[in-house]
Amino acid sequence: MVSRERPGERPGSVRTAVVWDALGPVLSAAPCDVVDIGGGTGGFAVRVAQAGHRVTVVDPSPDALAALARRAREVGVEVAGHQGDVSGLLDVVGTDSADLVLCHGLLEVVDAGEALATIRKVLRPGGTVSILVAQRHAAVVARAMAGHLHQALALLDGDEQAERAGRASRPTRRFTAAELGALVEQAGFAVSAVHAVRVFTDLVPGSLLDHEPGAVAALVDLERAVAELPEYLPLATQIHLLAT
């Protein structure tokens, strides 16, 4: 079982607390088969394995998979790591092979429709997909606050290619909650929950979290309090969605 832990003075824990809360009920049952696509160094995979589940990570980076193996060894769990991406996922894990698929930070950089279709084939009947994506509205606000007004305007118009002009970065797509929900439903899933992630975390000065006693825990409590309030979704850096 993945516990709902109360983070101490660890700023990094704020970013994922809401996601772990959402995954808790899914992972609290009997041990299941979990596939983490693009799971990288195992930030989610290793903790899921610690909870007693069978975890497979598929990632294109050999360096990330090596780091995953080291992390798993350090805590004494087994996580299967395979080099690859979502386009070859069926060749690695096969159809009807997973009870839970973690799709975190993936749909921004692949064809979302094709990826979701593949994930649906990998999931067993009644299985769950956990999706975490970058949210467009918050990116518009962040660009404007940083003084990058032309980038903010391009994002607002949905022109992410123009927004990236002059910046060295991989192609990235951002979603609104409505867009993501529509994509997931078109792929044949039923959406069961939507959460706002990092509504305030990226706005609170790091110095406050570093030096103010109890600030991290208070920020986590605040993030949890607004995670399921729809009016805060446009402010969230990320959207988390569960679907079956």
Side-chain angles (χ1 to χ4, degrees):
M1 177 178 178
V2 176
S3 63
R4 177 187 167 110
E5 68 177 35
R6 183 174 180 84
E9 297 302 307
R10 294 178 297 147
S13 64
V14 180
R15 293 173 172 265
T16 57
V18 167
V19 179
W20 283 114
D21 287 351
L23 288 174
V26 181
L27 295 170
S28 62
C32 63
D33 294 306
V34 181
V35 174
D36 189 350
I37 311 171
T41 60
F44 277 86
V46 169
R47 183 170 166 184
V48 172
Q50 286 180 288
H53 302 283
R54 299 173 292 274
V55 185
T56 299
V57 172
V58 179
D59 194 280
S61 169
D63 291 337
L65 292 173
L68 163 68
R70 289 194 297 271
R71 176 180 283 185
R73 284 196 303 270
E74 288 172 358
V75 298
V77 298
E78 292 186 8
V79 176
H82 298 276
Q83 187 173 0
D85 55 32
V86 68
S87 64
L89 186 63
L90 291 172
D91 296 329
V92 176
V93 300
T95 59
D96 295 335
S97 59
D99 302 295
L100 170 66
V101 171
L102 303 182
C103 177
H104 296 170
L106 175 72
L107 297 187
E108 296 97 320
V109 295
V110 299
D111 184 297
E114 292 181 2
L116 289 169
T118 300
I119 290 169
R120 191 164 185 261
K121 294 176 182 177
V122 167
L123 280 171
R124 294 173 179 138
T128 299
V129 59
S130 169
I131 300 172
L132 187 65
V133 298
Q135 200 265 127
R136 185 184 305 133
H137 296 313
V140 172
V141 174
R143 294 292 185 276
M145 291 180 65
H148 304 306
L149 303 182
H150 293 295
Q151 292 179 10
L153 186 59
L155 268 178
L156 184 64
D157 293 336
D159 189 352
E160 304 209 23
Q161 184 174 355
E163 183 270 334
R164 290 193 304 271
R167 296 191 299 120
S169 64
R170 62 180 182 175
T172 300
R173 180 182 178 185
R174 297 173 182 84
F175 300 84
T176 66
E179 290 170 346
L180 181 61
L183 277 170
V184 170
E185 291 177 350
Q186 288 169 8
F189 291 92
V191 176
S192 57
V194 179
H195 306 98
V197 177
R198 291 163 57 189
V199 175
F200 303 107
T201 298
D202 297 339
L203 303 176
V204 175
S207 58
L208 174 67
L209 300 181
D210 290 338
H211 303 296
E212 183 70 24
V216 170
L219 181 55
V220 170
D221 287 341
L222 184 59
E223 291 284 0
R224 284 170 167 158
V226 302
E228 297 186 45
L229 299 179
E231 56 265 41
Y232 285 90
L233 273 174
L235 302 176
T237 300
Q238 294 174 304
I239 301 167
H240 180 247
L241 181 149
L242 289 176
T244 56

